[in-house]
Amino acid sequence: MSSGAAPRLRALQRHLGSSEGRAMELVSSPLTTHVLDTASGLPAQGLCLRLSRLEDHGQQWMELRKSYTDSDGRCPGLLPAGPMKAGTYKLSFDTEGYWKKRGQESFYPYVEVVFTITNETHRFHVPLLLSPWSYTTYRGS
């Protein structure tokens, strides 16, 4: 393994296997996210994101929170502890700003993940795997 790959692999393993960090995050918010920069194999630190909820019978997005990912690519405390209000939510990730800070051109200026919450007592985790030319998301656990 090359000398540059070993630190990235260790960071990725810590990121994916950190149950301690996930446990703390779950206690503080019913909604969590984390972003992994798949081009480097490292967490996407400093990525700006916004959480919004659809209001006015589906006509208007209301921004609930603006935040940045931490050194582990996570964004704890998106919502206060307790049940989420049922409805349609959107996580908007400023991917263009993230890649520009790294001197990297990218294809997607932002990524918006829209999802619906019907069970207010569940917890929700929305990961984002990101490269300059692609992204993947899914409902995590």
PDB file of all heavy atoms in Angstrom, residues 1-15 40-43:
ATOM      1  N   MET A   1       0.854  -1.170   0.000  1.00  0.00           N
ATOM      2  CA  MET A   1       0.000   0.000   0.000  1.00  0.00           C
ATOM      3  C   MET A   1       0.905   1.239   0.000  1.00  0.00           C
ATOM      4  O   MET A   1       1.857   1.309   0.750  1.00  0.00           O
ATOM      5  CB  MET A   1      -0.881  -0.037   1.248  1.00  0.00           C
ATOM      6  CG  MET A   1      -1.846   1.091   1.328  1.00  0.00           C
ATOM      7  SD  MET A   1      -2.958   1.054   2.770  1.00  0.00           S
ATOM      8  CE  MET A   1      -3.571  -0.588   2.761  1.00  0.00           C
ATOM      9  N   SER A   2       0.575   2.225  -0.825  1.00  0.00           N
ATOM     10  CA  SER A   2       1.400   3.430  -0.894  1.00  0.00           C
ATOM     11  C   SER A   2       1.303   4.209   0.420  1.00  0.00           C
ATOM     12  O   SER A   2       0.339   4.087   1.166  1.00  0.00           O
ATOM     13  CB  SER A   2       0.939   4.313  -2.059  1.00  0.00           C
ATOM     14  OG  SER A   2      -0.263   4.961  -1.744  1.00  0.00           O
ATOM     15  N   SER A   3       2.315   5.033   0.684  1.00  0.00           N
ATOM     16  CA  SER A   3       2.344   5.778   1.944  1.00  0.00           C
ATOM     17  C   SER A   3       1.168   6.748   2.059  1.00  0.00           C
ATOM     18  O   SER A   3       0.699   7.035   3.142  1.00  0.00           O
ATOM     19  CB  SER A   3       3.664   6.525   2.092  1.00  0.00           C
ATOM     20  OG  SER A   3       3.776   7.479   1.047  1.00  0.00           O
ATOM     21  N   GLY A   4       0.665   7.264   0.936  1.00  0.00           N
ATOM     22  CA  GLY A   4      -0.478   8.170   0.971  1.00  0.00           C
ATOM     23  C   GLY A   4      -1.797   7.451   1.180  1.00  0.00           C
ATOM     24  O   GLY A   4      -2.751   8.007   1.705  1.00  0.00           O
ATOM     25  N   ALA A   5      -1.870   6.197   0.770  1.00  0.00           N
ATOM     26  CA  ALA A   5      -3.128   5.451   0.877  1.00  0.00           C
ATOM     27  C   ALA A   5      -3.391   4.973   2.303  1.00  0.00           C
ATOM     28  O   ALA A   5      -4.547   4.894   2.726  1.00  0.00           O
ATOM     29  CB  ALA A   5      -3.125   4.262  -0.078  1.00  0.00           C
ATOM     30  N   ALA A   6      -2.362   4.655   3.043  1.00  0.00           N
ATOM     31  CA  ALA A   6      -2.536   4.113   4.395  1.00  0.00           C
ATOM     32  C   ALA A   6      -3.285   5.077   5.317  1.00  0.00           C
ATOM     33  O   ALA A   6      -4.239   4.665   5.985  1.00  0.00           O
ATOM     34  CB  ALA A   6      -1.192   3.720   4.994  1.00  0.00           C
ATOM     35  N   PRO A   7      -2.914   6.371   5.388  1.00  0.00           N
ATOM     36  CA  PRO A   7      -3.663   7.283   6.255  1.00  0.00           C
ATOM     37  C   PRO A   7      -5.114   7.446   5.806  1.00  0.00           C
ATOM     38  O   PRO A   7      -6.026   7.544   6.634  1.00  0.00           O
ATOM     39  CB  PRO A   7      -2.915   8.614   6.145  1.00  0.00           C
ATOM     40  CG  PRO A   7      -1.568   8.271   5.636  1.00  0.00           C
ATOM     41  CD  PRO A   7      -1.728   7.009   4.832  1.00  0.00           C
ATOM     42  N   ARG A   8      -5.356   7.455   4.503  1.00  0.00           N
ATOM     43  CA  ARG A   8      -6.732   7.578   4.007  1.00  0.00           C
ATOM     44  C   ARG A   8      -7.546   6.352   4.387  1.00  0.00           C
ATOM     45  O   ARG A   8      -8.700   6.463   4.779  1.00  0.00           O
ATOM     46  CB  ARG A   8      -6.732   7.792   2.491  1.00  0.00           C
ATOM     47  CG  ARG A   8      -6.214   9.148   2.074  1.00  0.00           C
ATOM     48  CD  ARG A   8      -6.521   9.481   0.639  1.00  0.00           C
ATOM     49  NE  ARG A   8      -6.151   8.458  -0.307  1.00  0.00           N
ATOM     50  CZ  ARG A   8      -5.035   8.441  -1.028  1.00  0.00           C
ATOM     51  NH1 ARG A   8      -4.172   9.423  -0.909  1.00  0.00           N
ATOM     52  NH2 ARG A   8      -4.789   7.474  -1.880  1.00  0.00           N
ATOM     53  N   LEU A   9      -6.932   5.170   4.283  1.00  0.00           N
ATOM     54  CA  LEU A   9      -7.629   3.941   4.644  1.00  0.00           C
ATOM     55  C   LEU A   9      -7.965   3.929   6.133  1.00  0.00           C
ATOM     56  O   LEU A   9      -9.083   3.598   6.519  1.00  0.00           O
ATOM     57  CB  LEU A   9      -6.788   2.716   4.279  1.00  0.00           C
ATOM     58  CG  LEU A   9      -7.399   1.362   4.656  1.00  0.00           C
ATOM     59  CD1 LEU A   9      -8.743   1.170   3.961  1.00  0.00           C
ATOM     60  CD2 LEU A   9      -6.450   0.243   4.272  1.00  0.00           C
ATOM     61  N   ARG A  10      -7.008   4.335   6.981  1.00  0.00           N
ATOM     62  CA  ARG A  10      -7.274   4.382   8.422  1.00  0.00           C
ATOM     63  C   ARG A  10      -8.392   5.381   8.741  1.00  0.00           C
ATOM     64  O   ARG A  10      -9.268   5.105   9.553  1.00  0.00           O
ATOM     65  CB  ARG A  10      -6.000   4.730   9.195  1.00  0.00           C
ATOM     66  CG  ARG A  10      -5.032   3.557   9.318  1.00  0.00           C
ATOM     67  CD  ARG A  10      -3.929   3.854  10.307  1.00  0.00           C
ATOM     68  NE  ARG A  10      -3.115   5.009   9.959  1.00  0.00           N
ATOM     69  CZ  ARG A  10      -2.080   4.989   9.116  1.00  0.00           C
ATOM     70  NH1 ARG A  10      -1.712   3.867   8.544  1.00  0.00           N
ATOM     71  NH2 ARG A  10      -1.397   6.084   8.876  1.00  0.00           N
ATOM     72  N   ALA A  11      -8.376   6.540   8.091  1.00  0.00           N
ATOM     73  CA  ALA A  11      -9.424   7.538   8.332  1.00  0.00           C
ATOM     74  C   ALA A  11     -10.785   7.010   7.894  1.00  0.00           C
ATOM     75  O   ALA A  11     -11.789   7.197   8.578  1.00  0.00           O
ATOM     76  CB  ALA A  11      -9.101   8.835   7.592  1.00  0.00           C
ATOM     77  N   LEU A  12     -10.827   6.324   6.764  1.00  0.00           N
ATOM     78  CA  LEU A  12     -12.072   5.752   6.280  1.00  0.00           C
ATOM     79  C   LEU A  12     -12.579   4.676   7.233  1.00  0.00           C
ATOM     80  O   LEU A  12     -13.769   4.629   7.562  1.00  0.00           O
ATOM     81  CB  LEU A  12     -11.883   5.171   4.875  1.00  0.00           C
ATOM     82  CG  LEU A  12     -13.096   4.524   4.227  1.00  0.00           C
ATOM     83  CD1 LEU A  12     -14.246   5.508   4.130  1.00  0.00           C
ATOM     84  CD2 LEU A  12     -12.735   3.998   2.850  1.00  0.00           C
ATOM     85  N   GLN A  13     -11.694   3.840   7.724  1.00  0.00           N
ATOM     86  CA  GLN A  13     -12.091   2.799   8.672  1.00  0.00           C
ATOM     87  C   GLN A  13     -12.628   3.412   9.959  1.00  0.00           C
ATOM     88  O   GLN A  13     -13.637   2.962  10.492  1.00  0.00           O
ATOM     89  CB  GLN A  13     -10.902   1.874   8.979  1.00  0.00           C
ATOM     90  CG  GLN A  13     -10.559   0.972   7.818  1.00  0.00           C
ATOM     91  CD  GLN A  13      -9.228   0.264   8.006  1.00  0.00           C
ATOM     92  OE1 GLN A  13      -8.325   0.758   8.691  1.00  0.00           O
ATOM     93  NE2 GLN A  13      -9.100  -0.895   7.388  1.00  0.00           N
ATOM     94  N   ARG A  14     -11.957   4.461  10.465  1.00  0.00           N
ATOM     95  CA  ARG A  14     -12.445   5.147  11.669  1.00  0.00           C
ATOM     96  C   ARG A  14     -13.818   5.754  11.409  1.00  0.00           C
ATOM     97  O   ARG A  14     -14.716   5.665  12.222  1.00  0.00           O
ATOM     98  CB  ARG A  14     -11.475   6.254  12.089  1.00  0.00           C
ATOM     99  CG  ARG A  14     -10.285   5.778  12.876  1.00  0.00           C
ATOM    100  CD  ARG A  14      -9.553   6.941  13.526  1.00  0.00           C
ATOM    101  NE  ARG A  14      -9.360   8.085  12.669  1.00  0.00           N
ATOM    102  CZ  ARG A  14      -8.302   8.264  11.874  1.00  0.00           C
ATOM    103  NH1 ARG A  14      -7.348   7.362  11.803  1.00  0.00           N
ATOM    104  NH2 ARG A  14      -8.204   9.342  11.136  1.00  0.00           N
ATOM    105  N   HIS A  15     -13.954   6.363  10.240  1.00  0.00           N
ATOM    106  CA  HIS A  15     -15.198   7.038   9.885  1.00  0.00           C
ATOM    107  C   HIS A  15     -16.363   6.059   9.819  1.00  0.00           C
ATOM    108  O   HIS A  15     -17.424   6.307  10.367  1.00  0.00           O
ATOM    109  CB  HIS A  15     -15.018   7.746   8.548  1.00  0.00           C
ATOM    110  CG  HIS A  15     -16.255   8.405   8.045  1.00  0.00           C
ATOM    111  ND1 HIS A  15     -16.733   9.561   8.594  1.00  0.00           N
ATOM    112  CD2 HIS A  15     -17.101   8.069   7.061  1.00  0.00           C
ATOM    113  CE1 HIS A  15     -17.826   9.911   7.956  1.00  0.00           C
ATOM    114  NE2 HIS A  15     -18.072   9.026   7.022  1.00  0.00           N
ATOM    115  N   SER A  40     -10.937  11.370  -2.080  1.00  0.00           N
ATOM    116  CA  SER A  40      -9.772  11.298  -1.195  1.00  0.00           C
ATOM    117  C   SER A  40      -9.857  10.126  -0.225  1.00  0.00           C
ATOM    118  O   SER A  40      -8.864   9.753   0.386  1.00  0.00           O
ATOM    119  CB  SER A  40      -9.632  12.596  -0.397  1.00  0.00           C
ATOM    120  OG  SER A  40     -10.691  12.699   0.546  1.00  0.00           O
ATOM    121  N   GLY A  41     -11.069   9.590  -0.048  1.00  0.00           N
ATOM    122  CA  GLY A  41     -11.262   8.535   0.945  1.00  0.00           C
ATOM    123  C   GLY A  41     -11.336   9.067   2.365  1.00  0.00           C
ATOM    124  O   GLY A  41     -11.203   8.318   3.318  1.00  0.00           O
ATOM    125  N   LEU A  42     -11.562  10.364   2.501  1.00  0.00           N
ATOM    126  CA  LEU A  42     -11.591  11.012   3.814  1.00  0.00           C
ATOM    127  C   LEU A  42     -12.951  11.665   4.056  1.00  0.00           C
ATOM    128  O   LEU A  42     -13.686  11.954   3.106  1.00  0.00           O
ATOM    129  CB  LEU A  42     -10.500  12.083   3.896  1.00  0.00           C
ATOM    130  CG  LEU A  42      -9.064  11.586   3.756  1.00  0.00           C
ATOM    131  CD1 LEU A  42      -8.110  12.764   3.646  1.00  0.00           C
ATOM    132  CD2 LEU A  42      -8.702  10.699   4.936  1.00  0.00           C
ATOM    133  N   PRO A  43     -13.285  11.944   5.308  1.00  0.00           N
ATOM    134  CA  PRO A  43     -14.516  12.684   5.588  1.00  0.00           C
ATOM    135  C   PRO A  43     -14.460  14.072   4.941  1.00  0.00           C
ATOM    136  O   PRO A  43     -13.398  14.681   4.837  1.00  0.00           O
ATOM    137  CB  PRO A  43     -14.510  12.810   7.111  1.00  0.00           C
ATOM    138  CG  PRO A  43     -13.643  11.699   7.589  1.00  0.00           C
ATOM    139  CD  PRO A  43     -12.594  11.524   6.531  1.00  0.00           C
TER     140      PRO A  43
END
